[in-house]
């Protein structure tokens, strides 16, 4: 099997796949960051770190420079793994199209946030070397080179593989010149009736300055000539973003919208001669910077900043490779963009439009359908009625594993029952991202408030690219009578928490949910996440204290079963890593297993290096970015790093420690990144049920097993796909194993 085969969670209708792009540029600016003062060249670790005959004390031995991989390169490697799945002929065909769209969307956000942030810091002169030892300019040039290679592979995969294979299966993605005369006539009628009225051609001449080109919009650069004067002119026509990108002209025959517009330019410029047209697309800085000195005005400040986002400076120009040099020179000059930021590509541009094609109803060209069932601990027998969540939680904690366990019959039902239950007095909830126009979570909170319950909702309106939606939800919740707060100044609230207070006889009982994923019913069917539902009094008390801190003036920083960033989470994990070192020295069981989306934080990585140097085995299961170099002799030879990507987006975070024979396991919302540990409210909850701890450890063992299909990270930062064993037989697929387990039985989330 192809060793470059890749896996990643996807959805044709949910393109936002959280590619870990939030601004995390402290390493380029903070003088306190463990940057390397060397010449910016990466260290050659081929001969290891410890010298022959030396037995360094890991607690005091200085760690080498160059021990961190560059996070931007690592992110591009993550997106390359997405591309590898699109390139893999073993991937179902429409899923390949979907992965092409995901790759394109991920790269768009990477340029809008990461590249834009690097350029801004270079321009302002505040950037210093990153932890990897590279100057921001070196990183930026590396990004330009690597992204150019990946974009060329991406275009070739579409042109040479996916589009032809789709045609063989009866789905034709064609260009205008391939249409029949009858089809062209049909599209002319469509153009006149539905497209022409919304088009606005913009001329460029002394009376008309070069128009503003909005970020990520598709545009036609048109050259026309006045037949009377003979003068040539430039004009821009924007492709309407609200119309379908691929138009179905005949059954299973689709043509790009821009081709239809280009074929009818004479209608837009009557009396002029259309000499040429070329497609182009601009990516702009769409990061937000909001001053939070006055928290009461945060909503208004963010709304103004959302307007400013539309006018961010360009960071990338994609053009058709056939573009006329004169037109390209004009675009480069007017957009004030460098040659290095120009990406000539074969058309069509912007393959995020393939999300629509991937959504076609052709189940034989997709992954087999899987429908999650109700967790066994919530309902012994599947039925049409919702389980009694509160009764179940009085019996035991419930460990959920989405999407294998249904979100709608667990977390969603938990909140809906709380809203409808007359014995429930209060609901407290964090919302980072939720679904669009129809959010059952928001509806339940509104119902609860309207029935007289006390409802506190912490809405994170600074959730990137969901700001506008969250502002809308915040206003709707306020209008319904919910108490809406926006967290602490300077910190995003990223933790996933629900607290329900219920009157039961003479006592108040608190029911809690702590999760690793958003309260988003749609992505819960596509993202792999964990959640703990519990009536444990300690967790309930912790959540009460934390919500009081978020909504009031509490300064509590210690909790019973929680680790909370930014105060205690990093230090809590590092102290537990150190405890494993002590256990190993004393001959007690010692090991560290971590599952996260990203592993970047230098302090945590250094602690893991020292644990490895002491002989503690360390396993890291990471979906995306990893700045740690595993397998370096004398430094990290006891560390393994794996990446498992598949039809579901691996999104959960788990931290497991052998703890001298008394296993300790935590789950929660935090990745090992500066932004999570320093600038967000994050929570990890301690898992106390022995069965749950064992289940999570088995999950980690499964993901790290050499018999499981995954990518292995080497000390040079290269990822190697391991998809088959020595005999050429396919290795196990973690996600398919979990799906099969659910189909055989409805049981706990982890088999």
């Amino acid at each position: 099997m192809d060793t470059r085969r890749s896996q990643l969670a996807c959805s044709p209708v949910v393109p936002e796949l959280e590619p870990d792009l939030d601004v995390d540029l402290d390493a380029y600016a903070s003088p306190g960051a463990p940057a390397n003062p060397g010449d910016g060249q990466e260290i050659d670790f081929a001969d290891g770190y410890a010298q022959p005959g030396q037995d360094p004390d890991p607690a005091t031995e200085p760690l080498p420079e160059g021990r961190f991989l560059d996070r931007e390169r690592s992110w591009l490697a993550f997106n390359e793994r997405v591309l590898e799945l699109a390139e893999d002929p073993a991937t179902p065909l429409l899923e390949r199209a979907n992965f092409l769209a995901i790759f394109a969307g991920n790269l768009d956000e990477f340029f809008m946030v990461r590249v834009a942030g690097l350029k801004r810091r270079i321009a302002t002169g505040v950037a210093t070397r990153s932890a990897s030892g590279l100057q921001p300019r070196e990183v930026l040039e590396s990004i330009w080179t690597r992204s150019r290679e990946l974009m060329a592979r991406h275009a070739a995969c579409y042109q040479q593989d996916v589009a032809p294979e789709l045609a063989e299966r009866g789905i034709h993605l064609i260009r205008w010149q391939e249409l029949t005369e009858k089809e062209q006539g049909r599209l002319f009628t469509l153009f006149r009736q539905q497209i022409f009225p919304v088009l606005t051609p913009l001329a460029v001449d002394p009376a008309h300055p070069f128009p503003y080109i909005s970020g990520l919009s598709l545009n036609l650069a048109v050259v026309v000539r006045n037949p009377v004067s003979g003068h040539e002119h430039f004009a821009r026509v924007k492709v309407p973003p609200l119309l379908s990108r691929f138009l179905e002209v005949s059954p299973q025959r689709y043509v790009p919208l821009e081709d239809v517009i280009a074929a009818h330019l004479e209608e837009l410029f009557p009396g002029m001669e259309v000499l040429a047209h070329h497609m182009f697309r601009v990516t702009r800085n769409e990061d937000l910077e909001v001053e939070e000195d006055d928290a009461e005005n945060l909503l208004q400040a963010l709304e103004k900043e959302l307007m400013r986002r539309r006018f961010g400076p360009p960071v990338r120009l994609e053009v058709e490779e056939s573009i006329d040099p004169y037109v390209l020179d004009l675009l480069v000059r007017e957009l004030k963009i460098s040659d290095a930021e120009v990406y000539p590509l074969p058309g069509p541009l912007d393959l995020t439009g393939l999300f629509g094609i991937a959504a076609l109803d052709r189940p034989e060209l997709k992954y087999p359908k899987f429908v999650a069932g109700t967790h066994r601990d919530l309902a012994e027998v599947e039925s049409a009625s919702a389980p009694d969540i509160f009764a179940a939680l009085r019996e035991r904690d419930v460990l959920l594993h989405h999407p294998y366990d249904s979100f709608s019959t667990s977390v969603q039902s938990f909140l809906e029952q709380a809203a409808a239950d007359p014995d429930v007095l209060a609901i407290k909830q964090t919302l980072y991202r939720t679904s669009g126009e129809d959010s059952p979570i928001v509806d339940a909170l509104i119902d609860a408030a309207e029935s007289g319950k006390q409802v506190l909702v912490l809405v994170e309106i600074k959730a990137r690219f969901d700001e506008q939606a969250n502002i809308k939800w915040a206003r709707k919740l306020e209008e319904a009578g919910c108490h809406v707060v926006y967290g602490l100044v300077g910190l995003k609230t990223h933790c996933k928490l629900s607290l329900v207070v219920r009157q039961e006889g003479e006592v108040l009982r608190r029911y809690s949910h702590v999760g690793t994923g958003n309260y988003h019913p749609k992505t819960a069917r596509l993202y792999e996440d964990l959640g703990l539902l519990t009536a444990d009094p300690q967790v309930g008390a912790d959540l009460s204290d934390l919500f009081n801190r978020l909504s009031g003036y509490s300064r509590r920083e210690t909790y019973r079963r929680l680790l909370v960033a930014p105060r205690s989470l990093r230090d809590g994990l590092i102290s537990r890593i150190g405890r494993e070192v002590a256990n190993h020295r004393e001959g007690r069981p010692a090991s560290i297993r971590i599952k996260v989306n990203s592993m970047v934080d230098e302090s945590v990585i250094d602690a893991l290096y020292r644990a490895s140097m002491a002989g503690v085995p360390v396993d890291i299961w990471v979906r995306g970015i990893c700045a740690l170099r595993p397998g370096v002799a004398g430094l990290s030879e006891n560390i393994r790093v794996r990446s498992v990507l598949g039809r579901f987006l691996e999104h959960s975070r788990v931290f497991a420690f052998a703890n001298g024979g008394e296993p300790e396991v935590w789950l929660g919302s935090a990745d090992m990144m500066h932004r999570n540990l320093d600038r967000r409210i994050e929570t990890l909850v301690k898992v106390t049920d022995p069965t749950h701890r064992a289940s999570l450890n088995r999950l980690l063992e499964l993901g790290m097993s050499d018999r499981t299909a995954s990518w292995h990270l080497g000390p040079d930062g290269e990822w190697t796909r391991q998809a088959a064993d020595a005999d050429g037989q396919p290795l196990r697929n973690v996600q398919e194993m979990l799906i099969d387990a659910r189909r055989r039985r409805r049981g706990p989330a982890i088999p």
Side-chain angles (χ1 to χ4, degrees), residues 282-326:
V282 176
T283 309
R284 292 183 176 276
N285 177 354
E286 297 203 13
D287 195 19
L288 295 178
E289 297 181 74
V290 180
E291 295 294 333
E292 296 186 57
D293 294 337
D294 188 347
E296 292 183 1
N297 293 325
L298 180 58
L299 226 60
Q300 292 85 348
L302 187 59
E303 287 175 318
K304 291 179 181 178
E305 187 66 9
L306 284 170
M307 293 296 294
R308 184 207 61 79
R309 170 191 271 176
R310 297 173 50 238
F311 299 94
V315 293
R316 180 179 58 165
L317 173 62
E318 298 168 87
V319 298
E320 286 186 309
E321 57 190 7
S322 60
I323 191 169
D324 184 274
Y326 165 77

Side-chain angles (χ1 to χ4, degrees), residues 575-591 614 616 657-662:
S575 70
R576 284 162 176 80
I577 294 170
R579 186 180 61 193
E580 295 305 302
V581 173
N583 286 333
H584 179 75
R585 287 174 174 165
E586 295 171 8
R588 295 196 295 269
S591 67
V616 177
F657 305 93
N659 192 30
E662 300 180 4

Side-chain angles (χ1 to χ4, degrees), residues 425-732:
L425 306 180
I427 302 174
K428 299 185 179 185
Q429 176 75 44
T430 62
L431 286 182
Y432 190 75
R433 303 184 197 273
T434 190
S435 46
E437 297 298 326
D438 54 342
S439 171
I441 303 299
V442 173
D443 290 343
L445 296 171
I446 290 174
D447 290 344
E450 291 178 343
S451 67
K453 295 176 171 60
Q454 293 292 312
V455 179
L456 172 72
V457 187
L458 197 145
V459 180
E460 181 47 75
I461 58 173
K462 301 187 300 298
R464 173 163 285 115
F465 302 121
D466 272 348
E467 299 95 345
Q468 197 67 55
N470 286 5
I471 288 172
K472 183 194 73 172
W473 288 127
R475 297 200 185 283
K476 186 174 180 179
L477 289 161
E478 286 176 330
E479 291 169 0
C482 299
H483 301 292
V484 179
V485 295
Y486 306 108
L488 303 178
V489 173
L491 298 174
K492 282 188 179 182
T493 303
H494 189 251
C495 50
K496 325 297 184 182
L497 308 173
S498 291
L499 176 66
V500 172
V501 182
R502 190 171 188 265
Q503 183 76 52
E504 298 182 359
E506 298 298 320
V507 300
L508 292 179
R509 191 189 299 269
R510 287 177 282 205
Y511 297 86
S512 308
H513 174 261
V514 181
T516 68
N518 299 307
Y519 293 94
H520 196 310
K522 292 182 180 178
T523 57
R525 295 192 292 269
L526 306 162
Y527 288 19
E528 178 272 343
D529 272 303
L530 293 162
L532 182 68
L533 281 168
T534 180
D536 180 80
Q538 287 191 330
V539 177
D542 278 348
L543 263 59
S544 292
D545 290 340
L546 181 54
F547 273 110
N548 288 341
R549 179 187 174 196
L550 295 174
S551 64
Y553 291 104
S554 169
R555 294 181 56 83
R556 175 177 288 278
E557 295 179 359
T558 58
Y559 299 87
R560 303 156 188 84
R561 277 183 59 185
L562 296 183
L563 292 176
V564 180
R567 294 294 183 183
S568 65
L569 204 154
R570 178 192 279 114
D571 290 344
L573 290 176
I574 289 176
S575 70
R576 284 162 176 80
I577 294 170
R579 186 180 61 193
E580 295 305 302
V581 173
N583 286 333
H584 179 75
R585 287 174 174 165
E586 295 171 8
R588 295 196 295 269
S591 67
I592 301 166
R593 293 173 175 149
I594 297 175
K595 181 180 187 294
V596 286
N597 294 284
S598 299
M599 176 63 70
V600 175
D601 187 77
E602 292 87 5
S603 297
V604 172
I605 291 175
D606 279 349
L608 293 172
Y609 281 147
R610 294 190 184 281
S612 171
M613 293 168 66
V616 177
V618 179
D619 284 343
I620 300 173
W621 177 351
V622 60
R623 184 190 86 229
I625 308 168
C626 184
L628 180 149
R629 294 182 186 269
V632 177
L635 177 70
S636 58
E637 69 266 37
N638 292 309
I639 301 179
R640 301 186 303 166
V641 179
R642 303 285 189 266
S643 182
V644 176
L645 308 175
R647 65 185 292 179
F648 305 130
L649 184 92
E650 293 290 331
H651 193 247
S652 63
R653 294 90 166 182
V654 185
F655 303 83
F657 305 93
N659 192 30
E662 300 180 4
E664 186 174 304
V665 181
W666 300 74
L667 66 83
S669 59
D671 282 311
M672 298 297 96
M673 303 178 72
H674 304 147
R675 71 167 195 235
N676 298 90
L677 302 178
D678 296 324
R679 298 194 302 280
R680 288 185 170 187
I681 303 295
E682 304 275 15
T683 58
L684 298 180
V685 63
K686 188 176 182 179
V687 179
T688 57
D689 186 300
T691 302
H692 293 165
R693 290 199 302 262
S695 295
L696 291 170
N697 268 305
R698 286 197 299 272
L699 173 67
L700 296 174
E701 289 173 4
L702 180 62
M704 297 299 299
S705 170
D706 288 338
R707 294 190 296 141
T708 295
S710 64
W711 281 266
H712 297 189
L713 179 62
D716 57 356
E718 295 296 319
W719 292 87
T720 303
R721 171 68 170 148
Q722 302 295 327
D725 62 19
D727 297 325
Q729 296 301 309
L731 296 175
R732 303 177 303 182

